[in-house]
Amino acid sequence: PAASSPAASSSPAASSPAASSSSTQSATQSVSSSTKSTPAPASRDSGSRVIASPLAKKTASENKFDLRSIPVGTGPNGRIIQADVLDAVKSGVSAQPTAQQAKATQSRVEPLQVQPGTFKEIPHTNIRRIIAQRLTEAKQSIPHFYLSVDCRVDKLIDLRTRLNSMIPAEHKLSINDIVIKASACALKEVPGVNASFHSDYIRVYDFVDIGVAVQAQNGLVVPVLRDVANKGLQNISSDMKELVKKSQANKLKPQDMDGGTFTISNLGMFGIKNFSAIINPPQACILAVGGTESRVVEKEEGSGQFEVQKIMNVTLSCDHRVVDGVLGAQWLASFRRFIEDPSLMLL
């Protein structure tokens, strides 16, 4: 909010004690007259970079003053110094814009000027409006931080190949099915991540309901798999296939997307190596899964022997209000252990 600027005062100039009162009055009137007749300097463009000393920035912040109102400072190379800010505050040049004014300025951004007939405008669907609103709120209100780790998935791929050779084609398992199960096992082992933030408390859930991001016709949707920790891979796979079909046919019901204690977004099938996802509130975390690639890796550190390994990168986005760095790292370590040795999920 803008604060009123202090009243203008005469500049601090040294005067002789013997000076007459009439000359002093005349000088004061002259300064006052020149001050009134001098136009206010033009402010900087809102997108231009402001170069100012740390003390100038601190003084501007304390006085709620917008540094962009000073076109050029008196410091080296036009740098704004504290004296520039104090002079501008005394003369009442400009204070910081209010939140309402800033919002109005943002809404007046001019669209790109293009020739008619060279574009088409696609009206927002209801789901696109909801996606835009929720993701904007999540990114602005949740203090995100990110943790990444590489997982060796040779054993996972071998297990999937063996299991798929024993079941009908319509029930084939995907790597994502195993990622979902490994996430559920890690959430049971590190329950602090299976949580949500509320104004007066953090809620930690005993059950594991995992949302999986799916691209539908009208945009991104996140159907929820229920009670994943107590389901086998085949049940997870069949439930996931059913939810994907509903998503693509635009037949998801509200109860298919309600709740969820954790979310997974997998772009590995599109060749994406790694990415960071936006948290789906009120959940505390979302796991972004990248693709699998072959890397030449030393078998043991210092052994001098190398082998080709299948590596998958995952990134955990965390709400710092709920999950600290150590807790997030503990969850990723648990997830990595289940992914690299899937037989542990049977215990």
Side-chain angles (χ1 to χ4, degrees):
S4 57
S5 301
S9 61
S10 59
S11 56
S15 59
S16 170
S20 65
S21 60
S22 60
S23 61
T24 301
Q25 183 176 4
S26 175
T28 303
Q29 290 173 348
S30 175
V31 171
S32 176
S33 174
S34 64
T35 300
K36 289 180 181 178
S37 62
T38 303
S43 62
R44 297 171 185 258
D45 184 86
S46 61
S48 62
R49 183 187 173 199
V50 176
I51 303 176
S53 69
L55 191 55
K57 292 178 181 178
K58 180 182 178 183
T59 304
S61 176
E62 290 173 348
N63 288 275
K64 296 183 172 57
F65 182 82
D66 187 1
L67 286 172
R68 290 172 300 182
S69 300
I70 303 176
V72 180
T74 59
N77 299 319
R79 190 185 194 197
I80 298 172
I81 59 176
Q82 186 189 34
D84 299 325
V85 178
L86 292 175
D87 288 345
V89 169
K90 288 178 182 178
S91 61
V93 170
S94 175
Q96 287 185 351
T98 65
Q100 195 171 19
Q101 290 170 334
K103 186 176 180 180
T105 301
Q106 292 173 0
S107 65
R108 291 196 300 266
V109 175
E110 292 294 329
L112 177 67
Q113 298 299 317
V114 293
Q115 293 297 324
T118 60
F119 63 92
K120 63 179 179 179
E121 294 180 346
I122 303 173
H124 294 311
T125 61
N126 288 335
I127 191 169
R128 176 55 60 187
R129 286 194 179 93
I130 294 171
I131 291 170
Q133 179 184 353
R134 286 179 60 85
L135 292 183
T136 301
E137 289 175 354
K139 194 63 176 176
Q140 291 179 342
S141 63
I142 297 175
H144 287 61
F145 75 95
Y146 310 95
L147 301 171
S148 296
V149 70
D150 288 333
C151 304
R152 183 177 181 180
V153 292
D154 296 272
K155 291 182 179 180
L156 182 153
I157 293 173
D158 290 343
L159 174 65
R160 174 176 174 256
T161 301
R162 292 200 312 271
L163 292 176
N164 282 342
S165 67
M166 297 183 287
I167 57 179
E170 62 269 21
H171 299 303
K172 297 288 186 183
L173 302 175
S174 68
I175 289 180
N176 204 45
D177 296 330
I178 304 175
V179 168
I180 293 169
K181 180 62 178 179
S183 298
C185 292
L187 289 169
K188 294 298 287 185
E189 196 168 83
V190 187
V193 172
N194 193 44
S196 61
F197 178 83
H198 299 267
S199 57
D200 296 320
Y201 55 87
I202 293 172
R203 177 176 291 165
V204 180
Y205 301 97
D206 296 328
F207 58 92
V208 177
D209 289 351
I210 295 182
V212 182
V214 175
Q215 184 64 39
Q217 290 181 355
N218 297 324
L220 186 71
V221 293
V222 186
V224 178
L225 290 166
R226 309 292 176 182
D227 197 24
V228 183
N230 294 319
K231 288 182 177 177
L233 286 173
Q234 196 160 356
N235 285 337
I236 292 172
S237 181
S238 60
D239 289 352
M240 193 66 238
K241 287 181 174 68
E242 182 63 27
L243 288 173
V244 170
K245 286 181 182 178
K246 285 186 176 182
S247 301
Q248 294 174 345
N250 200 25
K251 292 184 178 180
L252 283 174
K253 298 177 181 179
Q255 56 265 34
D256 293 325
M257 296 180 285
D258 285 345
T261 61
F262 187 84
T263 297
I264 296 172
S265 181
N266 190 339
L267 293 178
M269 65 286 292
F270 298 104
I272 302 301
K273 290 184 178 181
N274 57 71
F275 67 103
S276 300
I278 300 175
I279 294 170
N280 185 21
Q283 299 168 17
C285 293
I286 182 172
L287 183 70
V289 183
T292 300
E293 62 177 354
S294 298
R295 296 184 194 171
V296 177
V297 180
E298 191 173 19
K299 286 185 177 181
E300 296 180 6
E301 188 175 354
S303 67
Q305 297 180 339
F306 296 85
E307 63 180 354
V308 177
Q309 297 179 2
K310 296 288 187 181
I311 303 296
M312 178 180 72
N313 179 272
V314 297
T315 300
L316 184 69
S317 303
C318 305
D319 181 345
H320 218 323
R321 299 172 301 177
V322 181
V323 178
D324 294 326
V326 172
L327 182 60
Q330 289 172 343
W331 187 90
L332 271 180
S334 176
F335 172 82
R336 182 180 182 181
R337 189 164 54 87
F338 286 117
I339 282 291
E340 294 192 339
D341 190 357
S343 61
L344 295 175
M345 291 188 280
L346 303 175
L347 299 177

